[in-house]
Amino acid sequence: FILAGAVRQRLPMPSAMCSIRRVALVLGVLAVGASAKTKKMSGSQKCKKGLFTSDAKDAVISLCDEHYPSEKASHPWLVWFYSMEGIEDNFKDGLNRIAQDLGNEPPEKSKSLIKVKKQRVRLKDLAEKYEFEVALPKKGPASTDPILKVGAVCCDCGEQQKICAGHSGLYVVRNGGEVSLPAHASNPAEAVKLGLAQMGFVKADGLGAEL
């Protein structure tokens, strides 16, 4: 009996075991929280989403002062400056259509649903879809990247964005410069054609002369 009592005394009491587990759980939660805080937000996560809130459905990238294509950007961009108040009908659907036409996809869209195309093939398909004469080099472009990345700046979502000053509507942004385009998001054919004309992919005609 004395030996059995000695063994029992060495074992921690149930309440003590529970306390140890609680302390371990709290320490684990704190460690996870600390790790999360050290991760910096990147890219469009720094920007207000505005209309484009779904990573599974929206191909348009949210832009703002902290995330906007610079002169060092590796891709040309088609950027829309808009306000939530008085927005035109079909704006969201139209801009998502433009983005996907140009080769952009929602970041969380299933890869099995994405059809990868070379830019040359995509340009020919767009010329047929929107009835314009495409201008192409003898070879290429062979990249499967978007022809133009598509982004949108919400100019009345929270804090005022400095880049909104003097901007409204559609712009092609590349190599540190920008060109305003007279197009509407509700008319994807018009916006795609104007954007591609700026990139030199639409043969010179009345439209090309204006640009």
Side-chain angles (χ1 to χ4, degrees):
F1 293 107
I2 295 174
L3 178 60
V7 172
R8 284 199 298 271
Q9 287 177 2
R10 292 193 193 102
L11 296 174
M13 297 297 289
S15 59
M17 290 292 289
C18 291
S19 297
I20 292 171
R21 291 194 188 99
R22 282 197 294 268
V23 170
L25 180 61
V26 170
L27 290 174
V29 171
L30 290 175
V32 171
S35 175
K37 287 181 180 179
T38 58
K39 292 182 180 179
K40 294 182 179 180
M41 289 191 300
S42 61
S44 62
Q45 291 178 335
K46 299 176 181 178
C47 305
K48 295 289 186 181
K49 293 287 189 180
L51 285 174
F52 305 97
T53 57
S54 175
D55 287 340
K57 296 180 180 179
D58 293 324
V60 178
I61 299 170
S62 296
L63 301 174
C64 59
D65 285 344
E66 292 191 58
H67 180 58
Y68 191 79
S70 69
E71 57 199 25
K72 296 180 181 179
S74 56
H75 294 89
W77 284 74
L78 199 62
V79 179
W80 214 292
F81 292 82
Y82 71 98
S83 296
M84 298 289 281
E85 183 177 350
I87 198 165
E88 62 184 286
D89 292 340
N90 301 321
F91 171 86
K92 180 178 178 178
D93 291 342
L95 197 54
N96 270 319
R97 178 71 270 155
I98 292 165
Q100 291 185 293
D101 278 343
L102 293 170
N104 302 270
E105 295 289 351
E108 293 186 5
K109 183 176 180 178
S110 172
K111 291 183 179 180
S112 64
L113 300 176
I114 296 175
K115 186 176 181 179
V116 178
K117 290 184 182 181
K118 291 184 177 181
Q119 289 184 356
R120 186 179 186 88
V121 174
R122 188 177 296 281
L123 286 162
K124 288 182 177 180
D125 288 348
L126 289 173
E128 183 178 351
K129 179 179 180 178
Y130 292 131
E131 299 181 344
F132 64 86
E133 195 171 356
V134 66
L136 289 170
K138 289 183 179 180
K139 294 183 179 180
S143 172
T144 57
D145 289 345
I147 302 168
L148 286 156
K149 296 195 80 171
V150 177
V153 182
C154 180
C155 292
D156 60 353
C157 294
E159 184 178 347
Q160 179 65 38
Q161 300 299 305
K162 294 178 182 178
I163 53 173
C164 287
H167 289 88
S168 178
L170 182 67
Y171 291 78
V172 168
V173 180
R174 61 174 177 160
N175 301 326
E178 59 184 30
V179 177
S180 175
L181 301 181
H184 299 277
S186 55
N187 187 343
E190 176 186 50
V192 167
K193 195 184 300 185
L194 285 167
L196 293 179
Q198 278 296 317
M199 298 295 295
F201 291 128
V202 178
K203 286 190 176 180
D205 55 12
L207 173 64
E210 291 178 8
L211 295 173

